[in-house]
Amino acid sequence: MANVNRHSSPDAKLLSVRSAGDVHEHKMLDPMKKSFTMDTTRETYTRRFRRSVSDDLASVSSSSSVDKTVPSLYHKCHKFEVHSYKGPHWCDMCGHFLWGLSQQGMKCQSCGINIHKQCYSLAMEVQCVPTKKMIKQVFGVDLTTIAKMDGSEVPKLVKQCVEVIEEQGLYDEGIYRVSGNTSSVMEIKEKFNEGEAVDFSQYMDINIMTGALKMFLRELPVPVISFDAYTEVMRATALIEDIEDPKTNWKVLANSLKFLPKAHYHLLRYLGQHLDRVVQNSSRNKMTPHNLAVVFAPTFMRAPSDNHALMKDFSLQKHFVECLILKHSVLFE
């Protein structure tokens, strides 16, 4: 990266400084004397971002009723990419000017903060707080980002779909097994991605809503059972030979779920409760725990590598979903 030496010209420059969303005109700056008039130092910026993140997390955590043994923070790392800026910009960590004609620094694709490359390590210690201005879609975005954007334990999209399904479709035979019209599902996806309100009343087939929900779950970059937790969850599931195993085995499975990121943990608990309500009407909708497990096992989880025995894993995955449906109150007590 080519840097411009601030001592190379004795001429004073009038710079327009953009900081925290406001534009201020500063006085004449003399680079020879390093007389920057910015009121933002390294410590000030760090405190500001830490404080904003703490406030954001507190607002989410305050409504959480999950046991404190579950990870207490929605941990979200920045997603930095090298960026070329038009006009003057300053580092949001150290407060110093981003010098150069191109690729002057790095920009987080989730929250929009700007940093020097050398400030990367410091910035990664500060939580990322995604903004809707930077995240321009809902499908294909990781759960932690969506949770922090929505300020909710469960994504709004999931809640809206589930509410409609439980109001109108619990008696529909083959619910979740039968596919909905693809073009209508894609239409719902586009509306959510564009931030438009979705009028579900115009979709008469409940399978369109179930299709949209399944598509959202399948397109998660990190599945509901995250790659980091997958091995522990499968190992714990393997200990349970049948649905009537002793409580000690259920406790092992419950503890394995605490390896999940908090946003994933809450979504799994919510979906377990929902699928239980579907099963309660299985005499009419014909969807037993086994039938739902066949549908949701590949939707909830993907093996983190090709080293796993796929057929054996799929059998365990199905068994896990059955356990989730039948014992969710024990797993998430």
Side-chain angles (χ1 to χ4, degrees):
M1 181 176 68
N3 289 331
V4 177
N5 192 330
R6 68 174 70 179
H7 302 292
S8 60
S9 172
D11 296 331
K13 299 177 182 179
L14 180 64
L15 297 178
S16 177
V17 181
R18 186 158 115 190
S19 176
D22 298 322
V23 177
H24 306 284
E25 285 204 354
H26 281 243
K27 297 179 181 180
M28 302 296 287
L29 303 180
D30 185 354
M32 293 293 291
K33 297 181 179 179
K34 302 182 182 179
S35 57
F36 283 85
T37 59
M38 295 177 61
D39 60 353
T40 51
T41 63
R42 180 183 182 123
E43 291 185 2
T44 304
Y45 265 100
T46 303
R47 284 199 303 268
R48 177 190 302 171
F49 281 98
R50 288 187 185 278
R51 184 167 59 251
S52 66
V53 170
S54 298
D55 292 344
D56 177 76
L57 294 175
S59 66
V60 176
S61 300
S62 62
S63 61
S64 173
S65 59
V66 72
D67 188 273
K68 296 302 181 182
T69 55
V70 178
S72 59
L73 294 178
Y74 284 90
H75 181 72
K76 169 67 179 172
C77 293
H78 293 285
K79 184 181 178 182
F80 285 114
E81 292 184 5
V82 175
H83 190 78
S84 294
Y85 298 91
K86 295 181 179 179
H89 281 74
W90 274 256
C91 176
D92 288 328
M93 296 311 300
C94 68
H96 292 168
F97 188 63
L98 297 174
W99 293 93
L101 300 177
S102 66
Q103 298 186 347
Q104 302 97 317
M106 305 178 77
K107 188 180 190 73
C108 178
Q109 304 304 300
S110 296
C111 68
I113 70 168
N114 308 300
I115 65 167
H116 290 108
K117 288 182 179 179
Q118 57 266 35
C119 291
Y120 178 85
S121 296
L122 177 63
M124 292 303 287
E125 296 177 4
V126 181
Q127 286 266 348
C128 176
V129 183
T131 64
K132 293 182 180 179
K133 179 180 178 181
M134 298 298 299
I135 308 296
K136 303 184 186 300
Q137 62 186 55
V138 177
F139 282 74
V141 178
D142 69 274
L143 281 174
T144 302
T145 295
I146 296 176
K148 295 188 76 170
M149 258 197 327
D150 287 351
S152 173
E153 292 181 350
V154 178
K156 294 178 181 178
L157 177 155
V158 174
K159 284 184 176 180
Q160 291 178 22
C161 288
V162 166
E163 287 172 0
V164 173
I165 292 166
E166 292 191 353
E167 287 176 4
Q168 304 176 15
L170 287 182
Y171 297 157
D172 284 30
E173 185 172 336
I175 182 173
Y176 283 116
R177 179 178 55 80
V178 178
S179 300
N181 180 269
T182 302
S183 61
S184 296
V185 172
M186 293 302 296
E187 183 178 309
I188 291 177
K189 174 182 176 179
E190 291 175 6
K191 287 183 177 180
F192 271 114
N193 278 341
E194 294 171 4
E196 297 181 16
V198 179
D199 181 9
F200 289 104
S201 63
Q202 65 178 300
Y203 303 104
M204 303 303 295
D205 183 5
I206 199 66
N207 297 310
I208 295 173
M209 270 66 80
T210 60
L213 177 58
K214 288 187 294 182
M215 179 177 287
F216 170 77
L217 297 174
R218 284 196 304 268
E219 292 187 4
L220 289 171
V222 179
V224 179
I225 301 299
S226 64
F227 298 124
D228 290 340
Y230 180 85
T231 301
E232 290 296 329
V233 172
M234 290 297 96
R235 183 182 294 122
T237 303
L239 295 176
I240 302 175
E241 296 180 353
D242 56 60
I243 302 301
E244 302 299 329
D245 267 3
K247 290 184 178 180
T248 53
N249 283 355
W250 292 115
K251 186 175 181 180
V252 171
L253 183 56
N255 287 337
S256 73
L257 297 181
K258 292 169 185 176
F259 284 87
L260 293 170
K262 190 176 180 183
H264 294 240
Y265 184 93
H266 284 155
L267 177 60
L268 190 65
R269 178 177 61 180
Y270 182 83
L271 291 174
Q273 295 168 345
H274 165 61
L275 294 178
D276 181 36
R277 288 190 283 271
V278 174
V279 168
Q280 289 174 20
N281 294 277
S282 60
S283 60
R284 301 183 64 173
N285 61 39
K286 311 302 181 185
M287 294 304 289
T288 63
H290 174 76
N291 292 339
L292 287 172
V294 172
V295 174
F296 279 96
T299 303
F300 281 163
M301 62 194 87
R302 301 191 294 273
S305 70
D306 295 331
N307 296 329
H308 292 74
L310 296 181
M311 292 304 296
K312 180 180 178 181
D313 271 15
F314 186 56
S315 177
L316 284 176
Q317 290 170 0
K318 289 189 297 181
H319 189 45
F320 167 75
V321 176
E322 291 184 63
C323 295
L324 172 70
I325 296 171
L326 296 174
K327 293 290 185 177
H328 65 86
S329 59
V330 175
L331 297 177
F332 296 97
E333 63 181 1

